[in-house]
Amino acid sequence: MTTDPTARHYDREFVRTFFTSPTAVEGGDDSAKMLRSAARLRGMEAPDVWVPDNEDATAPSMREQGVENVVEVVSEHGADFPGEIHPRVVWHRDDPATRYAGFRQMLAMADPDGGAVDHLDGFVIPEVGDIDDWKKADEALTRVETEHGLDPGSLSMSVIIESGEAELAMGDIREEAGKPSNNLERLFLLVDGEVDYTKDMRGMTPTGELPPWPELRHNTSRGASAAGLIAVDGPFDDIRDVAGYRERMTENRAKGMTGIWSLTPGQVVEANTEPLPPASGYWLLDDGEGEGELRAEDERWVYDGDALGLEETGDGYVLRVDGREQELNADDLREELLRRAAYVPSMADMVDSMAEFEAAKEAGKGAIAMTRAATVEIDGVPVDIEADRMWDEATYQAAKTPIDLFQDVYEHRPDQHDALADRYGREVVERATELG
Amino acid sequence: MTTDPTARHYDREFVRTFFTSPTAVEGGDDSAKMLRSAARLRGMEAPDVWVPDNEDATAPSMREQGVENVVEVVSEHGADFPGEIHPRVVWHRDDPATRYAGFRQMLAMADPDGGAVDHLDGFVIPEVGDIDDWKKADEALTRVETEHGLDPGSLSMSVIIESGEAELAMGDIREEAGKPSNNLERLFLLVDGEVDYTKDMRGMTPTGELPPWPELRHNTSRGASAAGLIAVDGPFDDIRDVAGYRERMTENRAKGMTGIWSLTPGQVVEANTEPLPPASGYWLLDDGEGEGELRAEDERWVYDGDALGLEETGDGYVLRVDGREQELNADDLREELLRRAAYVPSMADMVDSMAEFEAAKEAGKGAIAMTRAATVEIDGVPVDIEADRMWDEATYQAAKTPIDLFQDVYEHRPDQHDALADRYGREVVERATELG
Amino acid sequence: MTTDPTARHYDREFVRTFFTSPTAVEGGDDSAKMLRSAARLRGMEAPDVWVPDNEDATAPSMREQGVENVVEVVSEHGADFPGEIHPRVVWHRDDPATRYAGFRQMLAMADPDGGAVDHLDGFVIPEVGDIDDWKKADEALTRVETEHGLDPGSLSMSVIIESGEAELAMGDIREEAGKPSNNLERLFLLVDGEVDYTKDMRGMTPTGELPPWPELRHNTSRGASAAGLIAVDGPFDDIRDVAGYRERMTENRAKGMTGIWSLTPGQVVEANTEPLPPASGYWLLDDGEGEGELRAEDERWVYDGDALGLEETGDGYVLRVDGREQELNADDLREELLRRAAYVPSMADMVDSMAEFEAAKEAGKGAIAMTRAATVEIDGVPVDIEADRMWDEATYQAAKTPIDLFQDVYEHRPDQHDALADRYGREVVERATELG
């Protein structure tokens, strides 16, 4: 029997949130304060992966204390923490001393005498280089496991991609992870670290904002897909810009990257919630200046912008787009609006569609048409539109991803069951968990 | 002598259209109905590559019948079909049983007793994984050839890229295809399959639409270029959205991907036609809200939008862009409009330019200026503009691609000669075929 | 001791400009005229890398003369030229005869008897293919060095990426350059050549303009980063379109690609200047139609467009965006404008910020907030905004790139000191050179 490298070796199929906490802060009487408050997070405020951060978030002078704090807080609170726990230690592809320091941090945190290791799922290794550097980190973990009598491969390894060579290495994982001379099967998350990546690539923008790096995110997502791992985007610095954070996550999901770094419990709530389907469906309309949400009112979907205009004439319609008018009959108008409109399905809609397709399949049908109708209103003129979409097995499989995500969350995060029920209603939650 | 891996091993240099037909449909008295009607397509409705699809387009329960139908219809109509014929069989990187089923389908379709193999150019293998999986498919084809006494490598192999590992594998073809232990030189098309790719990458969009995956398309095009193969984009589901299909093809061509999947004869006509140069040239103007086509009227090119405004004053002009006005003299106005304008050359324009450059080269000149003049009219104010472009050998070579495409079509698709003559006129067609 | 492949092997950390000159032009009495005038360029008009171009810029019939001209002009003027000198010779991955011709051109130019080699920093090899082809070029250089008794590796090698296989090869440099059987450590620049790349990829656009190839530029920048090399973008043909050239450079820098080809001394000035921080800072505002620069007037930053409108009411504000109005109180308005505004720091601003952070670090602080305040005026209504940004070590490192660039320029280009002092003032220049 061969092992399948794309089969995930971890319980979680998805990770929505990667939340870092400083391991030790100066001043005040408890340097572990931030760790302690993070360890008590529950429900939507608790991340899927919690990262006590003994690297960049913690001052170099505090990192020795940080190791002790991790041991203390994780051994005390780890059993009750609802997400996985993966401390970040120091590491650098270009500096053997830093690598050795990282090894010693891991060795100390995973010492069974401290009591934390039972609740540690793995470690996060920053600043990795090419695949040979990943192997060094893997070997450091193997030595930690051996030294402490842990099962080989029981500690996972997640890496932060913050250099060109690490980006290239993501193309090699699939080939390298199967070799008998390493334990790279322990890999779990591929996390982009855009601040240091920007430095390494020497990227510059006029305002100092981070470049968008779309290709990096694609390559991370692809590397994860090809090796059965999970892709996570880096930190979004402007924590007040919730709309921007959401936009970034929407973009990421279109790249297959479901997870994102969260810097605050507020960002954790956003990032835990956003990838899940909405509670209510709604229509979008492209008015020539971009896609905007229509407003629901009395069974109609109303357009409030002024880029589109519509007027009924005796024998048809005049549609105005960006100052240009076109005369249309009823059918052409419907066609035109259909082209501009799109529906964002709710969780209940998705469950209905999947169930309908599953029933059709059982009845021997390979493809069915799904219909979605609405009345759209522009300048007070109502127009009925109806969108058909053919569903076959492939459509069904691709549409299943949000449901897979939901089921993964539901299975692994009982602490979020109440929030999910509040959001969707118990009946929809129940049906969603039973699909597939 | 070494073989050059970027030298194409096939007759066709370009494939515009990849048209799939279900091999067997339930209900009705002839399960091969769809195959039969596809086999009779001619001219612009007939694809460059026809794919009797014994995978996703055909219900699993009908695939055995599908194999028989392919043999029957291809043996009867294959000789007269104007394009190449490449059936798709089942295959999956993660499932040996499916791979064996695919092998048996190919073995049956290629059986000389059935009479179809003389008209089969190759097979399409879906759901391939990493390069070692491609080698398994290649080996299956080698066994089919051996079993039936066919020349080694006589059946081509095209693959559908629908996983991260297959995307990565496209970086390895050039290196692997020359090895003595495989026959990967049989590779022909690299076809993106975005529906299953989206599933594999776990991509999600709010409306359920497919993500655009620009990096995948780049990598497919690059993989094809580096290994002398041909890149083809996946299906465009919304068959009523002709404008959207055209936009996608324009985008693809800018990535070097000339071919696209077609789901209906209507899409085949579009996809056979669009990559060819237009019959008449026209001017585009960027009015700040995007590039739009100008309307030809009495030797002038008229702007009908309202984002740009122009007024003649006593001693110059006032140009209004997005509500901001700027005073310009005649020269600056011309410069500004030139910057915003671009000409889309017709086939005749291209033929003229190439011929002009070829003559100049023969006369010993390495570079010449090509001039294009027009009168643009905004708000009733006419402005004469004149664009120069330097042509050297590299410009010439890059500009030749549409002509290469035309010549490839003309050579291999005599059934489209009439349509081409209708589109361009016999004289332009003749000059275009004689260039280079 | 191991060597670090990302450690740059060259003096220059950055190359802003790559300027080509024909080596020999027909007609007139001095075929070396263009070389001679280029060799006399100084200050902002002189490129970081000057490329006497014995390939595409020079007619094939003139290339023998071109070799002689390079020897003559470089031996005479090379000692005084302020940038590096890297002639381009002929080469082609698919043509051994061209490769041999390229070898002989290099052999002749580097002949110590000619006196040019003391001023030659290396050679530029166009049209390379996969990494094995790069090794052939490297070996040609090794033979030249051996033949002329030059130190091994003393001549650098820069390559033009103009094929899919060369793009793929950039993923292999790091692994291959360390092998004892080659001298690929001599690699210096990775230069995109989009005209020939477009031909090789068979890219097409309606107007014949070059496609933007964003993925190629990313991969070039990443390849350079992973192997300690420098990435340079290809030629920008429309030499009158200064705004377009600047936009392209801004895009490139966001990809980590600082350098660009320059076709004229005017483009050299632009490309030498643009990557450096501006002399004065300014604010940008996103008005829904894109980001635009605000106009400074009496300590205020005035918005002149009409996409945004602002009115003060008795108890708050009405903000109009794209025809939609929203009522906001003072705090929400500030928040909204802050979200839309961004500051482009001047060199002096950057120096201040870096110095402030360095001082804070010395005082034991790991992170500090940088504040930037301004009064923005829309429709005559002034609004005070204040942006905070947290700086930590990673922010500092990423923000340092423009200063690193400045220091690299300052160190290697004394001929530009006056221009830099004119631009920034002597005091800012002095402080910038002393940072870090």
Side-chain angles (χ1 to χ4, degrees):
Chain A
M1 252 211 57
T2 57
T3 57
D4 175 0
T6 64
R8 295 169 206 282
H9 298 272
Y10 291 90
D11 291 341
R12 294 303 303 262
E13 295 264 325
F14 293 88
V15 165
R16 296 165 294 172
T17 37
F18 179 96
F19 175 62
T20 47
S21 311
T23 56
V25 284
E26 251 173 322
D29 38 311
D30 179 15
S31 73
K33 209 177 96 180
M34 305 281 278
L35 280 188
R36 261 182 254 283
S37 65
R40 277 190 288 262
L41 295 172
R42 294 294 180 274
M44 297 311 269
E45 283 201 322
D48 285 341
V49 166
W50 175 39
V51 181
D53 184 1
N54 211 41
E55 197 220 13
D56 277 1
T58 299
S61 60
M62 297 299 288
R63 288 177 189 162
E64 209 160 319
Q65 181 63 48
V67 172
E68 287 176 35
N69 289 350
V70 169
V71 171
E72 185 198 321
V73 175
V74 172
S75 60
E76 188 182 339
H77 297 281
D80 299 325
F81 189 76
E84 296 199 357
I85 306 177
H86 298 250
R88 175 159 78 161
V89 297
V90 298
W91 190 268
H92 204 289
R93 58 195 176 281
D94 293 333
D95 183 7
T98 305
R99 294 196 294 270
Y100 186 59
F103 164 68
R104 297 198 353 142
Q105 291 177 5
M106 292 192 285
L107 194 70
M109 291 186 199
D111 190 332
D113 291 348
V117 71
D118 296 342
H119 316 303
L120 289 182
D121 296 279
F123 288 99
V124 176
I125 313 291
E127 295 287 2
V128 288
D130 56 26
I131 197 77
D132 281 349
D133 185 60
W134 300 33
K135 291 178 188 168
K136 296 176 195 169
D138 163 49
E139 169 67 1
L141 275 155
T142 300
R143 286 196 304 261
V144 167
E145 287 166 342
T146 308
E147 185 68 20
H148 292 320
L150 305 169
D151 286 343
S154 57
L155 291 169
S156 82
M157 170 171 141
S158 298
V159 293
I160 317 275
I161 307 300
E162 30 200 344
S163 64
E165 52 261 44
E167 186 186 348
L168 284 168
M170 294 191 293
D172 300 327
I173 307 170
R174 189 181 166 84
E175 199 177 325
E176 295 291 336
K179 294 190 175 164
S181 51
N182 67 55
N183 292 307
L184 283 174
E185 295 92 338
R186 69 168 83 246
L187 278 166
F188 177 36
L189 305 177
L190 301 178
V191 185
D192 285 342
E194 279 96 349
V195 176
D196 280 308
Y197 180 81
T198 298
K199 175 187 112 195
D200 185 74
M201 292 281 281
R202 310 196 298 181
M204 293 187 267
T205 60
T207 60
E209 254 189 322
L210 291 176
W213 301 118
E215 294 90 357
L216 169 67
R217 288 181 280 153
H218 174 75
N219 292 339
T220 304
S221 182
R222 179 185 63 180
S225 178
L229 308 177
I230 293 177
V232 174
D233 193 19
F236 190 85
D237 270 353
D238 190 348
I239 56 179
R240 290 179 310 190
D241 184 5
V242 177
Y245 193 48
R246 287 181 181 167
E247 257 170 55
R248 176 73 170 205
M249 287 190 278
T250 302
E251 254 186 47
N252 285 346
R253 287 195 299 276
K255 291 175 166 293
M257 183 180 248
T258 311
I260 193 166
W261 203 301
S262 296
L263 295 169
T264 64
Q267 282 196 336
V268 172
V269 172
E270 285 298 323
N272 273 339
T273 308
E274 277 292 303
L276 297 169
S280 313
Y282 53 91
W283 284 86
L284 300 173
L285 194 70
D286 182 345
D287 67 359
E289 302 191 343
E291 259 188 346
E293 208 169 309
L294 297 179
R295 178 169 52 81
E297 186 187 308
D298 304 339
E299 318 270 305
R300 284 162 302 130
W301 293 91
V302 181
Y303 171 71
D304 291 322
D306 60 1
L308 274 188
L310 185 61
E311 208 183 317
E312 217 171 339
T313 60
D315 55 347
Y317 297 86
V318 174
L319 181 72
R320 186 180 40 76
V321 184
D322 256 334
R324 292 174 216 209
E325 303 197 334
Q326 42 181 156
E327 292 181 26
L328 297 169
N329 64 29
D331 281 351
D332 291 344
L333 177 66
R334 257 195 297 276
E335 196 70 22
E336 175 66 21
L337 292 185
L338 201 52
R339 217 177 53 76
R340 294 180 169 276
Y343 183 70
V344 177
S346 68
M347 172 74 103
D349 293 327
M350 287 185 190
V351 171
D352 289 346
S353 299
M354 316 286 295
E356 195 178 330
F357 183 79
E358 287 178 5
K361 198 162 59 169
E362 220 150 288
K365 276 193 239 175
I368 57 170
M370 300 282 185
T371 302
R372 179 89 50 201
T375 303
V376 170
E377 185 181 308
I378 301 172
D379 290 346
V381 181
V383 187
D384 293 329
I385 61 173
E386 197 178 284
D388 277 337
R389 196 177 164 200
M390 287 306 299
W391 273 53
D392 62 11
E393 182 66 25
T395 328
Y396 170 77
Q397 290 292 341
K400 230 167 77 61
T401 302
I403 301 294
D404 289 344
L405 165 65
F406 175 82
Q407 293 179 343
D408 190 58
V409 169
Y410 197 83
E411 182 185 346
H412 293 96
R413 297 295 305 269
D415 63 313
Q416 297 188 347
H417 284 190
D418 286 349
L420 295 173
D422 285 353
R423 182 176 166 93
Y424 298 117
R426 302 222 167 258
E427 187 249 342
V428 170
V429 166
E430 199 167 304
R431 292 179 59 211
T433 54
E434 283 164 4
L435 271 180
Chain B
M1 252 209 59
T2 58
T3 57
D4 174 1
T6 64
R8 295 169 206 282
H9 298 272
Y10 291 89
D11 290 342
R12 294 304 302 263
E13 294 264 325
F14 292 89
V15 165
R16 295 164 296 172
T17 37
F18 179 95
F19 175 63
T20 48
S21 312
T23 56
V25 286
E26 250 173 321
D29 37 311
D30 178 14
S31 73
K33 208 178 96 182
M34 304 282 278
L35 281 189
R36 262 183 254 282
S37 65
R40 278 190 288 262
L41 294 172
R42 294 295 179 274
M44 297 310 270
E45 284 200 323
D48 285 340
V49 166
W50 175 39
V51 182
D53 184 1
N54 210 41
E55 199 221 11
D56 277 2
T58 300
S61 60
M62 297 301 287
R63 288 177 189 162
E64 210 160 318
Q65 181 63 49
V67 171
E68 288 176 33
N69 289 350
V70 169
V71 170
E72 185 199 322
V73 175
V74 171
S75 61
E76 189 182 339
H77 298 282
D80 299 325
F81 188 77
E84 297 199 357
I85 307 178
H86 298 251
R88 176 159 77 160
V89 297
V90 298
W91 190 268
H92 204 291
R93 58 195 175 279
D94 293 333
D95 183 7
T98 305
R99 293 197 293 270
Y100 186 58
F103 164 67
R104 296 193 359 137
Q105 291 177 6
M106 293 192 284
L107 193 68
M109 291 185 198
D111 190 333
D113 292 348
V117 71
D118 295 341
H119 315 302
L120 290 182
D121 296 280
F123 288 100
V124 176
I125 312 292
E127 295 288 3
V128 288
D130 55 26
I131 198 77
D132 281 350
D133 185 59
W134 299 34
K135 292 178 187 168
K136 296 176 194 168
D138 163 48
E139 169 67 2
L141 274 154
T142 299
R143 286 195 306 261
V144 168
E145 287 166 343
T146 308
E147 185 66 21
H148 292 321
L150 305 170
D151 286 343
S154 58
L155 291 169
S156 82
M157 172 172 140
S158 299
V159 294
I160 317 274
I161 306 301
E162 30 199 347
S163 63
E165 52 262 44
E167 186 186 348
L168 284 168
M170 293 191 293
D172 302 326
I173 307 171
R174 189 181 166 83
E175 198 177 325
E176 295 291 336
K179 294 190 177 164
S181 50
N182 67 53
N183 292 306
L184 282 173
E185 295 91 339
R186 67 167 84 247
L187 278 166
F188 176 37
L189 304 177
L190 302 177
V191 185
D192 285 342
E194 279 96 348
V195 176
D196 280 307
Y197 179 82
T198 298
K199 174 187 114 194
D200 185 74
M201 292 281 281
R202 310 195 301 181
M204 293 189 267
T205 60
T207 59
E209 253 189 322
L210 291 177
W213 301 119
E215 294 91 358
L216 168 67
R217 287 181 280 152
H218 174 76
N219 292 339
T220 304
S221 182
R222 179 185 62 181
S225 178
L229 308 177
I230 293 176
V232 174
D233 193 19
F236 190 84
D237 271 351
D238 191 347
I239 55 179
R240 290 178 309 190
D241 184 5
V242 176
Y245 193 48
R246 287 180 182 170
E247 257 170 56
R248 177 73 170 206
M249 288 190 278
T250 303
E251 254 185 48
N252 285 347
R253 286 196 299 277
K255 291 175 167 292
M257 183 180 249
T258 312
I260 194 166
W261 203 299
S262 297
L263 295 169
T264 63
Q267 281 195 336
V268 173
V269 172
E270 286 298 324
N272 272 340
T273 309
E274 277 292 304
L276 297 170
S280 313
Y282 54 90
W283 284 86
L284 300 173
L285 194 71
D286 182 345
D287 67 359
E289 300 190 345
E291 259 188 348
E293 207 170 309
L294 296 179
R295 179 169 51 82
E297 189 188 304
D298 303 341
E299 317 268 306
R300 284 162 301 130
W301 292 92
V302 182
Y303 172 70
D304 291 322
D306 60 1
L308 275 188
L310 184 61
E311 209 182 318
E312 218 171 338
T313 59
D315 55 346
Y317 297 86
V318 174
L319 181 72
R320 185 180 40 77
V321 185
D322 258 335
R324 292 176 215 206
E325 303 196 333
Q326 39 182 159
E327 291 180 27
L328 298 169
N329 64 29
D331 281 351
D332 290 344
L333 177 66
R334 256 196 296 278
E335 195 71 22
E336 175 68 20
L337 292 185
L338 201 53
R339 216 178 53 78
R340 294 179 171 276
Y343 183 70
V344 177
S346 67
M347 173 74 104
D349 293 328
M350 287 184 192
V351 170
D352 289 347
S353 299
M354 317 285 295
E356 195 178 330
F357 183 78
E358 288 178 6
K361 199 163 55 169
E362 219 151 291
K365 277 194 236 173
I368 56 171
M370 301 279 184
T371 301
R372 179 88 49 201
T375 303
V376 170
E377 183 181 309
I378 302 172
D379 291 346
V381 181
V383 187
D384 292 330
I385 61 174
E386 197 178 284
D388 277 337
R389 198 178 164 200
M390 287 306 297
W391 273 53
D392 62 10
E393 182 65 26
T395 328
Y396 170 77
Q397 290 293 342
K400 229 167 78 62
T401 302
I403 301 294
D404 289 344
L405 165 65
F406 174 82
Q407 294 180 343
D408 189 58
V409 168
Y410 197 82
E411 180 183 348
H412 294 96
R413 296 295 306 270
D415 62 313
Q416 296 188 347
H417 285 189
D418 285 349
L420 295 174
D422 285 354
R423 184 176 166 92
Y424 298 116
R426 301 222 168 258
E427 187 249 343
V428 170
V429 166
E430 199 168 303
R431 293 180 56 211
T433 54
E434 284 164 3
L435 271 180
Chain C
M1 253 212 57
T2 58
T3 58
D4 175 0
T6 64
R8 296 170 205 281
H9 298 273
Y10 290 90
D11 290 342
R12 294 302 303 262
E13 295 264 325
F14 292 88
V15 165
R16 295 165 295 172
T17 36
F18 179 96
F19 174 63
T20 48
S21 312
T23 55
V25 285
E26 251 172 320
D29 38 309
D30 178 14
S31 72
K33 206 178 99 181
M34 304 282 277
L35 280 188
R36 263 184 253 280
S37 65
R40 278 191 288 261
L41 294 172
R42 294 294 179 275
M44 296 312 268
E45 283 201 322
D48 286 339
V49 167
W50 175 39
V51 182
D53 184 1
N54 210 41
E55 198 221 12
D56 277 2
T58 300
S61 60
M62 296 300 288
R63 289 177 188 162
E64 211 161 316
Q65 180 64 48
V67 172
E68 287 176 35
N69 290 348
V70 169
V71 170
E72 184 199 323
V73 175
V74 171
S75 61
E76 187 182 340
H77 299 282
D80 299 325
F81 189 75
E84 296 200 357
I85 306 178
H86 298 251
R88 175 158 79 161
V89 297
V90 299
W91 190 267
H92 205 290
R93 58 195 174 280
D94 294 333
D95 183 6
T98 305
R99 294 196 293 271
Y100 186 58
F103 164 68
R104 294 189 4 133
Q105 291 176 5
M106 293 192 284
L107 194 69
M109 291 185 198
D111 189 334
D113 291 349
V117 71
D118 296 341
H119 316 303
L120 289 182
D121 296 280
F123 288 99
V124 176
I125 313 292
E127 295 287 3
V128 289
D130 55 26
I131 198 77
D132 281 351
D133 186 59
W134 300 34
K135 292 178 189 169
K136 295 175 195 169
D138 164 48
E139 169 67 2
L141 274 154
T142 299
R143 285 195 306 260
V144 167
E145 287 165 343
T146 309
E147 184 66 21
H148 292 320
L150 305 170
D151 285 343
S154 58
L155 292 169
S156 83
M157 170 171 141
S158 298
V159 293
I160 317 273
I161 307 300
E162 28 200 347
S163 65
E165 51 262 43
E167 186 185 349
L168 284 167
M170 293 191 293
D172 301 327
I173 306 170
R174 190 180 165 83
E175 200 177 324
E176 296 291 336
K179 294 190 177 164
S181 50
N182 67 55
N183 292 308
L184 283 173
E185 295 91 338
R186 69 167 85 245
L187 278 165
F188 177 36
L189 305 176
L190 302 177
V191 184
D192 285 342
E194 278 96 349
V195 175
D196 280 307
Y197 180 81
T198 298
K199 174 188 114 195
D200 185 74
M201 292 281 281
R202 309 195 301 180
M204 293 188 266
T205 60
T207 59
E209 253 190 323
L210 291 177
W213 301 118
E215 295 90 359
L216 168 66
R217 287 180 282 153
H218 175 76
N219 292 339
T220 303
S221 181
R222 178 185 63 181
S225 177
L229 308 177
I230 293 177
V232 174
D233 193 18
F236 190 84
D237 270 352
D238 190 346
I239 55 177
R240 289 178 310 190
D241 185 6
V242 176
Y245 192 49
R246 287 181 181 168
E247 259 171 53
R248 177 72 169 206
M249 289 191 278
T250 303
E251 255 186 48
N252 285 347
R253 287 196 298 276
K255 291 174 166 294
M257 182 180 249
T258 311
I260 194 166
W261 203 300
S262 296
L263 296 169
T264 64
Q267 281 195 337
V268 173
V269 172
E270 286 299 322
N272 271 340
T273 309
E274 276 293 302
L276 297 170
S280 312
Y282 54 90
W283 285 85
L284 300 173
L285 193 70
D286 182 345
D287 68 359
E289 300 190 346
E291 260 187 347
E293 206 169 311
L294 296 180
R295 178 169 52 82
E297 186 187 307
D298 304 339
E299 318 269 304
R300 284 161 302 130
W301 292 92
V302 182
Y303 172 71
D304 291 320
D306 60 0
L308 276 188
L310 184 62
E311 208 183 318
E312 217 171 339
T313 60
D315 55 348
Y317 296 86
V318 174
L319 181 72
R320 186 178 40 76
V321 185
D322 257 335
R324 293 176 215 207
E325 303 196 332
Q326 41 182 157
E327 292 180 26
L328 297 169
N329 64 29
D331 280 351
D332 291 344
L333 176 66
R334 257 195 297 277
E335 195 70 24
E336 176 66 21
L337 291 185
L338 202 51
R339 216 176 53 75
R340 294 180 170 276
Y343 183 70
V344 177
S346 67
M347 172 74 103
D349 293 328
M350 287 184 192
V351 170
D352 289 346
S353 299
M354 316 285 296
E356 195 178 332
F357 183 79
E358 287 178 7
K361 200 163 57 169
E362 219 150 290
K365 276 193 237 174
I368 57 169
M370 301 278 184
T371 302
R372 178 88 49 200
T375 303
V376 170
E377 184 180 308
I378 302 173
D379 291 347
V381 181
V383 187
D384 292 329
I385 61 173
E386 197 178 284
D388 277 337
R389 198 177 163 201
M390 288 305 300
W391 273 52
D392 62 10
E393 182 65 26
T395 328
Y396 169 77
Q397 290 293 341
K400 229 166 78 60
T401 301
I403 300 294
D404 290 343
L405 165 65
F406 175 82
Q407 293 179 344
D408 189 58
V409 168
Y410 197 83
E411 181 184 345
H412 293 96
R413 296 295 305 270
D415 62 314
Q416 297 188 347
H417 284 189
D418 285 350
L420 295 173
D422 285 353
R423 183 177 167 92
Y424 297 117
R426 300 222 168 258
E427 187 248 344
V428 170
V429 166
E430 198 167 305
R431 292 180 57 211
T433 53
E434 284 165 2
L435 272 180

